[in-house]
Amino acid sequence: MQPDHDIRDILSHDLQVLFCGINPGKSSAHTGYHFAHPGNRFWKVIYLAGFTRELLKPEQERRLLETGCGITALVERPTTQASELSGDELRDGGLRLQDKILRYQPRALAVLGKDAYQRAFRQRKVEWGEQPQPLMETRIWVLPNPSGLNRASLEEMVAAYRQLADALGLPERGQ
């Protein structure tokens, strides 16, 4: 089934990290770019955490590859809220994501959202941060979802994402 949007994975081999959102929001589906809703904090968070040297806009998403970062989603179907997705959609997305990881083998996978990770990978108890079981050589991290609907503060999100950047040995911004 073809998705009803033009959003495509930002993927290549040798990525430092593949960020995995839950699914496109309606704004992203409309624009064709990941994390395009004005209230979404993804671009600001990855900049402040040191993954990019400048604050990128959604329409500059392909430039992420220059920084060793990529983006994918668990489910391609756009919704207003991720809670509209079924458990089957998330589990199927988890299987597709595992295939992408095995094919591209990024150093780390960052799933953006604890509930989505639990449902997609059938995990019961999940803590924030690095997960105990990697997928082959890929380290798996669960980080807060940058959606404006998430109550976490910008500072809390940046700190969580910075832990991943530190684990990958990425320099802090400005160094």
Short mmCIF file of all heavy atoms in Angstrom, two decimals, residues 72-138:
data_model
loop_
_atom_site.label_atom_id
_atom_site.label_comp_id
_atom_site.label_asym_id
_atom_site.label_seq_id
_atom_site.Cartn_x
_atom_site.Cartn_y
_atom_site.Cartn_z
N THR A 72 13.66 7.89 10.00
CA THR A 72 12.64 6.98 9.49
C THR A 72 11.45 7.06 10.44
O THR A 72 11.47 7.83 11.40
CB THR A 72 13.18 5.54 9.35
OG1 THR A 72 12.23 4.76 8.63
CG2 THR A 72 13.47 4.89 10.69
N ALA A 73 10.42 6.28 10.18
CA ALA A 73 9.24 6.24 11.05
C ALA A 73 8.79 4.79 11.20
O ALA A 73 8.99 3.97 10.30
CB ALA A 73 8.11 7.08 10.46
N LEU A 74 8.18 4.49 12.32
CA LEU A 74 7.64 3.15 12.54
C LEU A 74 6.48 2.87 11.60
O LEU A 74 6.36 1.78 11.05
CB LEU A 74 7.16 3.00 13.99
CG LEU A 74 8.23 2.71 15.03
CD1 LEU A 74 7.66 2.87 16.43
CD2 LEU A 74 8.79 1.32 14.83
N VAL A 75 5.60 3.85 11.43
CA VAL A 75 4.39 3.69 10.63
C VAL A 75 4.33 4.84 9.63
O VAL A 75 4.58 5.99 9.99
CB VAL A 75 3.13 3.69 11.53
CG1 VAL A 75 1.86 3.59 10.70
CG2 VAL A 75 3.19 2.55 12.54
N GLU A 76 3.99 4.54 8.39
CA GLU A 76 3.94 5.58 7.36
C GLU A 76 2.63 6.36 7.36
O GLU A 76 2.58 7.47 6.85
CB GLU A 76 4.16 4.96 5.98
CG GLU A 76 5.57 4.48 5.75
CD GLU A 76 5.82 4.06 4.32
OE1 GLU A 76 4.90 4.18 3.47
OE2 GLU A 76 6.94 3.62 4.04
N ARG A 77 1.56 5.79 7.93
CA ARG A 77 0.25 6.43 7.86
C ARG A 77 0.22 7.70 8.72
O ARG A 77 0.48 7.65 9.92
CB ARG A 77 -0.83 5.46 8.33
CG ARG A 77 -2.24 6.03 8.25
CD ARG A 77 -3.28 4.96 8.53
NE ARG A 77 -3.32 4.51 9.90
CZ ARG A 77 -4.07 5.07 10.86
NH1 ARG A 77 -4.82 6.11 10.60
NH2 ARG A 77 -4.07 4.56 12.08
N PRO A 78 -0.11 8.85 8.11
CA PRO A 78 -0.21 10.10 8.89
C PRO A 78 -1.45 10.11 9.77
O PRO A 78 -2.50 9.61 9.39
CB PRO A 78 -0.32 11.20 7.83
CG PRO A 78 -0.11 10.55 6.51
CD PRO A 78 -0.30 9.08 6.68
N THR A 79 -1.29 10.67 10.96
CA THR A 79 -2.42 10.85 11.88
C THR A 79 -2.26 12.20 12.58
O THR A 79 -1.17 12.79 12.56
CB THR A 79 -2.46 9.74 12.95
OG1 THR A 79 -1.24 9.79 13.70
CG2 THR A 79 -2.67 8.37 12.36
N THR A 80 -3.32 12.64 13.22
CA THR A 80 -3.23 13.85 14.03
C THR A 80 -2.45 13.56 15.29
O THR A 80 -1.61 14.35 15.72
CB THR A 80 -4.64 14.36 14.38
OG1 THR A 80 -5.34 14.60 13.15
CG2 THR A 80 -4.58 15.64 15.18
N GLN A 81 -2.70 12.38 15.89
CA GLN A 81 -1.98 11.96 17.09
C GLN A 81 -1.56 10.50 16.93
O GLN A 81 -2.29 9.70 16.35
CB GLN A 81 -2.86 12.09 18.34
CG GLN A 81 -3.21 13.52 18.66
CD GLN A 81 -3.98 13.63 19.97
OE1 GLN A 81 -4.17 12.65 20.70
NE2 GLN A 81 -4.41 14.83 20.28
N ALA A 82 -0.40 10.16 17.49
CA ALA A 82 0.11 8.79 17.39
C ALA A 82 -0.82 7.79 18.06
O ALA A 82 -0.82 6.61 17.70
CB ALA A 82 1.51 8.71 17.99
N SER A 83 -1.62 8.24 19.01
CA SER A 83 -2.54 7.33 19.71
C SER A 83 -3.59 6.73 18.76
O SER A 83 -4.27 5.77 19.12
CB SER A 83 -3.23 8.05 20.87
OG SER A 83 -3.96 9.16 20.39
N GLU A 84 -3.71 7.28 17.56
CA GLU A 84 -4.66 6.75 16.58
C GLU A 84 -4.15 5.48 15.90
O GLU A 84 -4.89 4.81 15.19
CB GLU A 84 -4.94 7.80 15.50
CG GLU A 84 -5.58 9.07 16.04
CD GLU A 84 -5.64 10.17 14.99
OE1 GLU A 84 -5.94 9.88 13.82
OE2 GLU A 84 -5.38 11.33 15.36
N LEU A 85 -2.90 5.12 16.11
CA LEU A 85 -2.32 3.93 15.48
C LEU A 85 -2.69 2.68 16.26
O LEU A 85 -2.76 2.69 17.49
CB LEU A 85 -0.79 4.06 15.43
CG LEU A 85 -0.26 5.25 14.63
CD1 LEU A 85 1.25 5.37 14.82
CD2 LEU A 85 -0.61 5.13 13.17
N SER A 86 -2.87 1.60 15.54
CA SER A 86 -3.19 0.32 16.19
C SER A 86 -1.89 -0.39 16.62
O SER A 86 -0.82 -0.11 16.10
CB SER A 86 -3.97 -0.58 15.23
OG SER A 86 -3.12 -1.06 14.21
N GLY A 87 -2.05 -1.32 17.54
CA GLY A 87 -0.92 -2.14 17.96
C GLY A 87 -0.34 -2.92 16.80
O GLY A 87 0.88 -3.07 16.69
N ASP A 88 -1.20 -3.42 15.91
CA ASP A 88 -0.72 -4.17 14.74
C ASP A 88 0.13 -3.29 13.84
O ASP A 88 1.17 -3.72 13.33
CB ASP A 88 -1.89 -4.75 13.94
CG ASP A 88 -2.53 -5.96 14.61
OD1 ASP A 88 -1.89 -6.53 15.53
OD2 ASP A 88 -3.65 -6.32 14.23
N GLU A 89 -0.29 -2.04 13.62
CA GLU A 89 0.50 -1.13 12.78
C GLU A 89 1.88 -0.90 13.38
O GLU A 89 2.88 -0.90 12.67
CB GLU A 89 -0.21 0.23 12.65
CG GLU A 89 -1.38 0.24 11.72
CD GLU A 89 -2.05 1.60 11.68
OE1 GLU A 89 -2.63 2.02 12.72
OE2 GLU A 89 -2.00 2.24 10.61
N LEU A 90 1.94 -0.72 14.70
CA LEU A 90 3.22 -0.48 15.36
C LEU A 90 4.10 -1.73 15.33
O LEU A 90 5.30 -1.64 15.08
CB LEU A 90 3.00 0.01 16.78
CG LEU A 90 2.49 1.45 16.86
CD1 LEU A 90 1.94 1.76 18.25
CD2 LEU A 90 3.58 2.44 16.48
N ARG A 91 3.52 -2.90 15.56
CA ARG A 91 4.31 -4.14 15.52
C ARG A 91 4.83 -4.40 14.11
O ARG A 91 5.99 -4.77 13.92
CB ARG A 91 3.50 -5.32 16.04
CG ARG A 91 3.40 -5.32 17.57
CD ARG A 91 2.73 -6.57 18.09
NE ARG A 91 1.33 -6.65 17.72
CZ ARG A 91 0.34 -6.00 18.36
NH1 ARG A 91 0.61 -5.24 19.39
NH2 ARG A 91 -0.90 -6.14 17.96
N ASP A 92 3.99 -4.19 13.09
CA ASP A 92 4.45 -4.34 11.70
C ASP A 92 5.56 -3.34 11.41
O ASP A 92 6.54 -3.66 10.74
CB ASP A 92 3.29 -4.12 10.72
CG ASP A 92 2.27 -5.26 10.75
OD1 ASP A 92 2.57 -6.32 11.33
OD2 ASP A 92 1.17 -5.07 10.18
N GLY A 93 5.41 -2.12 11.92
CA GLY A 93 6.45 -1.11 11.75
C GLY A 93 7.74 -1.51 12.43
O GLY A 93 8.84 -1.26 11.91
N GLY A 94 7.64 -2.15 13.58
CA GLY A 94 8.83 -2.62 14.28
C GLY A 94 9.58 -3.66 13.46
O GLY A 94 10.82 -3.66 13.41
N LEU A 95 8.85 -4.54 12.77
CA LEU A 95 9.49 -5.55 11.91
C LEU A 95 10.19 -4.89 10.72
O LEU A 95 11.31 -5.24 10.37
CB LEU A 95 8.47 -6.58 11.43
CG LEU A 95 7.88 -7.48 12.51
CD1 LEU A 95 6.75 -8.33 11.95
CD2 LEU A 95 8.97 -8.36 13.13
N ARG A 96 9.51 -3.90 10.11
CA ARG A 96 10.13 -3.18 8.98
C ARG A 96 11.37 -2.42 9.45
O ARG A 96 12.38 -2.36 8.75
CB ARG A 96 9.12 -2.22 8.34
CG ARG A 96 8.13 -2.92 7.41
CD ARG A 96 7.32 -1.93 6.60
NE ARG A 96 6.61 -0.95 7.41
CZ ARG A 96 5.44 -1.17 8.01
NH1 ARG A 96 4.84 -2.34 7.87
NH2 ARG A 96 4.88 -0.23 8.73
N LEU A 97 11.29 -1.84 10.64
CA LEU A 97 12.43 -1.10 11.18
C LEU A 97 13.61 -2.04 11.42
O LEU A 97 14.76 -1.70 11.10
CB LEU A 97 12.03 -0.40 12.49
CG LEU A 97 13.13 0.38 13.19
CD1 LEU A 97 13.71 1.46 12.28
CD2 LEU A 97 12.60 0.99 14.48
N GLN A 98 13.35 -3.22 11.94
CA GLN A 98 14.44 -4.18 12.15
C GLN A 98 15.11 -4.53 10.82
O GLN A 98 16.34 -4.64 10.76
CB GLN A 98 13.92 -5.45 12.83
CG GLN A 98 13.56 -5.22 14.29
CD GLN A 98 13.04 -6.46 14.95
OE1 GLN A 98 13.68 -7.50 14.94
NE2 GLN A 98 11.86 -6.37 15.55
N ASP A 99 14.32 -4.68 9.76
CA ASP A 99 14.90 -4.96 8.44
C ASP A 99 15.80 -3.81 7.99
O ASP A 99 16.88 -4.04 7.43
CB ASP A 99 13.80 -5.19 7.40
CG ASP A 99 13.06 -6.52 7.60
OD1 ASP A 99 13.61 -7.41 8.31
OD2 ASP A 99 11.95 -6.66 7.06
N LYS A 100 15.37 -2.57 8.22
CA LYS A 100 16.19 -1.41 7.84
C LYS A 100 17.49 -1.39 8.63
O LYS A 100 18.55 -1.10 8.07
CB LYS A 100 15.42 -0.10 8.10
CG LYS A 100 14.28 0.14 7.15
CD LYS A 100 13.52 1.40 7.53
CE LYS A 100 12.21 1.48 6.77
NZ LYS A 100 11.42 2.65 7.16
N ILE A 101 17.40 -1.71 9.92
CA ILE A 101 18.60 -1.71 10.76
C ILE A 101 19.58 -2.78 10.26
O ILE A 101 20.78 -2.53 10.15
CB ILE A 101 18.23 -1.95 12.24
CG1 ILE A 101 17.40 -0.80 12.77
CG2 ILE A 101 19.49 -2.17 13.08
CD1 ILE A 101 18.03 0.56 12.65
N LEU A 102 19.07 -3.96 9.95
CA LEU A 102 19.95 -5.03 9.46
C LEU A 102 20.58 -4.66 8.12
O LEU A 102 21.72 -4.99 7.86
CB LEU A 102 19.17 -6.33 9.35
CG LEU A 102 18.69 -6.91 10.68
CD1 LEU A 102 17.81 -8.13 10.46
CD2 LEU A 102 19.85 -7.25 11.59
N ARG A 103 19.84 -3.93 7.29
CA ARG A 103 20.36 -3.54 5.98
C ARG A 103 21.37 -2.40 6.08
O ARG A 103 22.44 -2.44 5.47
CB ARG A 103 19.21 -3.12 5.07
CG ARG A 103 19.69 -2.69 3.71
CD ARG A 103 18.56 -2.44 2.76
NE ARG A 103 19.09 -2.00 1.49
CZ ARG A 103 18.42 -1.27 0.63
NH1 ARG A 103 17.18 -0.93 0.88
NH2 ARG A 103 18.98 -0.90 -0.49
N TYR A 104 21.07 -1.35 6.86
CA TYR A 104 21.91 -0.15 6.89
C TYR A 104 22.91 -0.12 8.04
O TYR A 104 23.90 0.59 7.99
CB TYR A 104 21.03 1.10 6.93
CG TYR A 104 20.33 1.34 5.63
CD1 TYR A 104 19.03 0.89 5.42
CD2 TYR A 104 20.97 1.99 4.58
CE1 TYR A 104 18.39 1.10 4.21
CE2 TYR A 104 20.34 2.20 3.37
CZ TYR A 104 19.04 1.76 3.19
OH TYR A 104 18.42 1.96 1.99
N GLN A 105 22.64 -0.84 9.11
CA GLN A 105 23.53 -0.98 10.26
C GLN A 105 24.08 0.34 10.80
O GLN A 105 25.30 0.54 10.87
CB GLN A 105 24.67 -1.94 9.92
CG GLN A 105 24.16 -3.32 9.58
CD GLN A 105 25.26 -4.31 9.27
OE1 GLN A 105 26.43 -4.08 9.54
NE2 GLN A 105 24.88 -5.43 8.71
N PRO A 106 23.19 1.24 11.22
CA PRO A 106 23.69 2.46 11.87
C PRO A 106 24.32 2.11 13.21
O PRO A 106 24.04 1.04 13.78
CB PRO A 106 22.42 3.30 12.07
CG PRO A 106 21.33 2.28 12.18
CD PRO A 106 21.74 1.17 11.23
N ARG A 107 25.18 2.98 13.73
CA ARG A 107 25.79 2.73 15.04
C ARG A 107 24.71 2.70 16.12
O ARG A 107 24.82 1.95 17.08
CB ARG A 107 26.81 3.80 15.38
CG ARG A 107 28.12 3.63 14.63
CD ARG A 107 29.16 4.63 15.08
NE ARG A 107 29.53 4.43 16.48
CZ ARG A 107 30.05 5.39 17.25
NH1 ARG A 107 30.25 6.60 16.78
NH2 ARG A 107 30.37 5.14 18.50
N ALA A 108 23.70 3.58 15.97
CA ALA A 108 22.64 3.64 16.98
C ALA A 108 21.29 3.88 16.31
O ALA A 108 21.21 4.53 15.28
CB ALA A 108 22.92 4.75 17.99
N LEU A 109 20.26 3.34 16.93
CA LEU A 109 18.88 3.60 16.56
C LEU A 109 18.26 4.32 17.75
O LEU A 109 18.36 3.85 18.88
CB LEU A 109 18.13 2.29 16.32
CG LEU A 109 16.60 2.39 16.26
CD1 LEU A 109 16.16 3.16 15.01
CD2 LEU A 109 15.97 1.00 16.30
N ALA A 110 17.64 5.47 17.49
CA ALA A 110 16.95 6.21 18.55
C ALA A 110 15.47 6.22 18.24
O ALA A 110 15.01 6.89 17.32
CB ALA A 110 17.49 7.64 18.63
N VAL A 111 14.71 5.42 19.00
CA VAL A 111 13.26 5.38 18.85
C VAL A 111 12.69 6.50 19.72
O VAL A 111 12.97 6.57 20.92
CB VAL A 111 12.68 4.01 19.26
CG1 VAL A 111 11.17 4.00 19.12
CG2 VAL A 111 13.29 2.90 18.41
N LEU A 112 11.90 7.37 19.10
CA LEU A 112 11.42 8.57 19.78
C LEU A 112 10.03 8.34 20.37
O LEU A 112 9.01 8.64 19.75
CB LEU A 112 11.42 9.75 18.80
CG LEU A 112 12.76 9.98 18.08
CD1 LEU A 112 12.69 11.18 17.18
CD2 LEU A 112 13.91 10.06 19.06
N GLY A 113 10.03 7.78 21.55
CA GLY A 113 8.78 7.52 22.26
C GLY A 113 8.80 6.16 22.93
O GLY A 113 9.00 5.15 22.27
N LYS A 114 8.60 6.15 24.23
CA LYS A 114 8.65 4.90 25.00
C LYS A 114 7.49 3.97 24.67
O LYS A 114 7.68 2.78 24.45
CB LYS A 114 8.67 5.23 26.50
CG LYS A 114 9.00 4.04 27.37
CD LYS A 114 8.86 4.35 28.85
CE LYS A 114 10.01 5.12 29.38
NZ LYS A 114 9.99 5.23 30.87
N ASP A 115 6.27 4.51 24.62
CA ASP A 115 5.11 3.67 24.34
C ASP A 115 5.21 3.04 22.96
O ASP A 115 4.93 1.85 22.78
CB ASP A 115 3.82 4.49 24.47
CG ASP A 115 2.59 3.62 24.27
OD1 ASP A 115 2.41 2.65 25.03
OD2 ASP A 115 1.81 3.91 23.34
N ALA A 116 5.64 3.83 21.98
CA ALA A 116 5.79 3.29 20.62
C ALA A 116 6.82 2.16 20.60
O ALA A 116 6.61 1.12 19.97
CB ALA A 116 6.19 4.40 19.66
N TYR A 117 7.94 2.35 21.29
CA TYR A 117 8.96 1.31 21.34
C TYR A 117 8.40 0.04 22.00
O TYR A 117 8.58 -1.07 21.48
CB TYR A 117 10.20 1.81 22.10
CG TYR A 117 11.26 0.75 22.24
CD1 TYR A 117 12.10 0.43 21.18
CD2 TYR A 117 11.42 0.03 23.43
CE1 TYR A 117 13.07 -0.56 21.29
CE2 TYR A 117 12.37 -0.96 23.55
CZ TYR A 117 13.19 -1.25 22.48
OH TYR A 117 14.14 -2.24 22.59
N GLN A 118 7.70 0.21 23.11
CA GLN A 118 7.15 -0.94 23.82
C GLN A 118 6.19 -1.72 22.92
O GLN A 118 6.25 -2.95 22.87
CB GLN A 118 6.41 -0.48 25.08
CG GLN A 118 7.33 -0.03 26.18
CD GLN A 118 6.56 0.55 27.35
OE1 GLN A 118 5.76 1.47 27.19
NE2 GLN A 118 6.82 0.02 28.53
N ARG A 119 5.33 -1.01 22.23
CA ARG A 119 4.33 -1.66 21.39
C ARG A 119 4.96 -2.26 20.14
O ARG A 119 4.61 -3.37 19.74
CB ARG A 119 3.22 -0.68 21.05
CG ARG A 119 2.41 -0.31 22.31
CD ARG A 119 1.44 0.81 22.08
NE ARG A 119 0.37 0.40 21.18
CZ ARG A 119 -0.45 1.27 20.61
NH1 ARG A 119 -0.32 2.56 20.82
NH2 ARG A 119 -1.41 0.84 19.82
N ALA A 120 5.89 -1.56 19.52
CA ALA A 120 6.51 -2.03 18.27
C ALA A 120 7.39 -3.26 18.51
O ALA A 120 7.46 -4.15 17.67
CB ALA A 120 7.32 -0.93 17.62
N PHE A 121 8.06 -3.30 19.65
CA PHE A 121 9.01 -4.38 19.92
C PHE A 121 8.54 -5.32 21.02
O PHE A 121 9.33 -6.14 21.52
CB PHE A 121 10.38 -3.80 20.26
CG PHE A 121 11.01 -3.12 19.07
CD1 PHE A 121 10.85 -1.76 18.86
CD2 PHE A 121 11.74 -3.86 18.15
CE1 PHE A 121 11.41 -1.15 17.75
CE2 PHE A 121 12.29 -3.25 17.04
CZ PHE A 121 12.13 -1.89 16.84
N ARG A 122 7.27 -5.19 21.41
CA ARG A 122 6.66 -6.07 22.41
C ARG A 122 7.49 -6.15 23.69
O ARG A 122 7.80 -7.24 24.19
CB ARG A 122 6.43 -7.46 21.83
CG ARG A 122 5.47 -7.44 20.66
CD ARG A 122 5.27 -8.81 20.07
NE ARG A 122 4.39 -8.69 18.90
CZ ARG A 122 3.57 -9.62 18.51
NH1 ARG A 122 3.49 -10.76 19.16
NH2 ARG A 122 2.81 -9.44 17.45
N GLN A 123 7.85 -5.00 24.19
CA GLN A 123 8.63 -4.90 25.43
C GLN A 123 7.70 -4.40 26.53
O GLN A 123 6.86 -3.53 26.30
CB GLN A 123 9.79 -3.91 25.26
CG GLN A 123 10.77 -4.29 24.19
CD GLN A 123 11.55 -5.53 24.56
OE1 GLN A 123 12.03 -5.68 25.68
NE2 GLN A 123 11.68 -6.44 23.61
N ARG A 124 7.86 -4.95 27.73
CA ARG A 124 6.98 -4.52 28.83
C ARG A 124 7.61 -3.38 29.62
O ARG A 124 7.04 -2.32 29.73
CB ARG A 124 6.68 -5.69 29.74
CG ARG A 124 5.79 -6.69 29.04
CD ARG A 124 5.24 -7.68 30.00
NE ARG A 124 4.39 -8.59 29.25
CZ ARG A 124 3.55 -9.39 29.78
NH1 ARG A 124 3.43 -9.45 31.08
NH2 ARG A 124 2.81 -10.18 29.04
N LYS A 125 8.76 -3.63 30.16
CA LYS A 125 9.42 -2.63 31.02
C LYS A 125 10.53 -1.98 30.22
O LYS A 125 11.50 -2.64 29.86
CB LYS A 125 9.97 -3.31 32.27
CG LYS A 125 10.62 -2.38 33.23
CD LYS A 125 9.70 -2.10 34.40
CE LYS A 125 10.42 -1.36 35.50
NZ LYS A 125 10.10 0.05 35.54
N VAL A 126 10.39 -0.71 29.95
CA VAL A 126 11.39 0.01 29.17
C VAL A 126 11.78 1.27 29.92
O VAL A 126 10.92 2.01 30.39
CB VAL A 126 10.84 0.39 27.77
CG1 VAL A 126 11.80 1.28 27.02
CG2 VAL A 126 10.53 -0.86 26.96
N GLU A 127 13.06 1.48 30.06
CA GLU A 127 13.57 2.71 30.67
C GLU A 127 14.04 3.64 29.55
O GLU A 127 14.36 3.18 28.45
CB GLU A 127 14.75 2.39 31.60
CG GLU A 127 14.41 1.46 32.74
CD GLU A 127 13.41 2.05 33.72
OE1 GLU A 127 13.40 3.29 33.89
OE2 GLU A 127 12.62 1.27 34.31
N TRP A 128 14.10 4.92 29.83
CA TRP A 128 14.66 5.87 28.88
C TRP A 128 16.14 5.58 28.70
O TRP A 128 16.81 5.06 29.60
CB TRP A 128 14.49 7.31 29.39
CG TRP A 128 13.07 7.77 29.43
CD1 TRP A 128 12.35 8.05 30.56
CD2 TRP A 128 12.20 8.01 28.33
NE1 TRP A 128 11.07 8.44 30.21
CE2 TRP A 128 10.96 8.43 28.85
CE3 TRP A 128 12.34 7.89 26.95
CZ2 TRP A 128 9.88 8.74 28.04
CZ3 TRP A 128 11.25 8.21 26.14
CH2 TRP A 128 10.04 8.64 26.69
N GLY A 129 16.67 5.90 27.54
CA GLY A 129 18.11 5.74 27.30
C GLY A 129 18.42 4.48 26.53
O GLY A 129 17.58 3.92 25.82
N GLU A 130 19.66 4.03 26.70
CA GLU A 130 20.13 2.87 25.96
C GLU A 130 19.46 1.60 26.48
O GLU A 130 19.33 1.40 27.69
CB GLU A 130 21.65 2.74 26.06
CG GLU A 130 22.19 1.64 25.16
CD GLU A 130 23.71 1.64 25.03
OE1 GLU A 130 24.38 2.43 25.72
OE2 GLU A 130 24.20 0.83 24.24
N GLN A 131 19.06 0.76 25.55
CA GLN A 131 18.40 -0.50 25.88
C GLN A 131 19.46 -1.60 26.02
O GLN A 131 20.51 -1.54 25.40
CB GLN A 131 17.37 -0.85 24.81
CG GLN A 131 16.30 0.23 24.63
CD GLN A 131 15.61 0.57 25.94
OE1 GLN A 131 14.95 -0.26 26.56
NE2 GLN A 131 15.75 1.83 26.38
N PRO A 132 19.17 -2.61 26.84
CA PRO A 132 20.20 -3.64 27.11
C PRO A 132 20.54 -4.51 25.91
O PRO A 132 21.65 -5.03 25.84
CB PRO A 132 19.60 -4.46 28.25
CG PRO A 132 18.14 -4.16 28.26
CD PRO A 132 17.96 -2.82 27.63
N GLN A 133 19.62 -4.69 24.98
CA GLN A 133 19.86 -5.59 23.85
C GLN A 133 20.03 -4.81 22.56
O GLN A 133 19.08 -4.22 22.07
CB GLN A 133 18.70 -6.58 23.70
CG GLN A 133 18.56 -7.56 24.83
CD GLN A 133 19.77 -8.47 24.96
OE1 GLN A 133 20.35 -8.90 23.98
NE2 GLN A 133 20.17 -8.73 26.19
N PRO A 134 21.22 -4.82 21.97
CA PRO A 134 21.39 -4.19 20.65
C PRO A 134 20.77 -5.07 19.57
O PRO A 134 20.40 -6.22 19.83
CB PRO A 134 22.91 -4.11 20.48
CG PRO A 134 23.43 -5.23 21.32
CD PRO A 134 22.46 -5.40 22.46
N LEU A 135 20.66 -4.54 18.38
CA LEU A 135 20.20 -5.30 17.22
C LEU A 135 21.42 -5.46 16.33
O LEU A 135 21.85 -4.50 15.70
CB LEU A 135 19.08 -4.56 16.50
CG LEU A 135 18.43 -5.28 15.33
CD1 LEU A 135 17.90 -6.65 15.74
CD2 LEU A 135 17.29 -4.44 14.77
N MET A 136 22.01 -6.64 16.38
CA MET A 136 23.32 -6.89 15.78
C MET A 136 24.31 -5.91 16.45
O MET A 136 24.42 -5.92 17.64
CB MET A 136 23.29 -6.72 14.26
CG MET A 136 22.29 -7.64 13.55
SD MET A 136 22.84 -9.35 13.41
CE MET A 136 24.17 -9.22 12.25
N GLU A 137 24.96 -5.05 15.67
CA GLU A 137 25.92 -4.09 16.22
C GLU A 137 25.28 -2.75 16.54
O GLU A 137 25.95 -1.85 17.05
CB GLU A 137 27.07 -3.88 15.23
CG GLU A 137 27.86 -5.15 14.93
CD GLU A 137 28.53 -5.74 16.17
OE1 GLU A 137 29.13 -4.97 16.95
OE2 GLU A 137 28.45 -6.97 16.35
N THR A 138 24.01 -2.58 16.23
CA THR A 138 23.33 -1.30 16.43
C THR A 138 22.81 -1.18 17.85
O THR A 138 22.01 -2.00 18.30
CB THR A 138 22.17 -1.15 15.42
OG1 THR A 138 22.69 -1.19 14.09
CG2 THR A 138 21.43 0.17 15.63
#
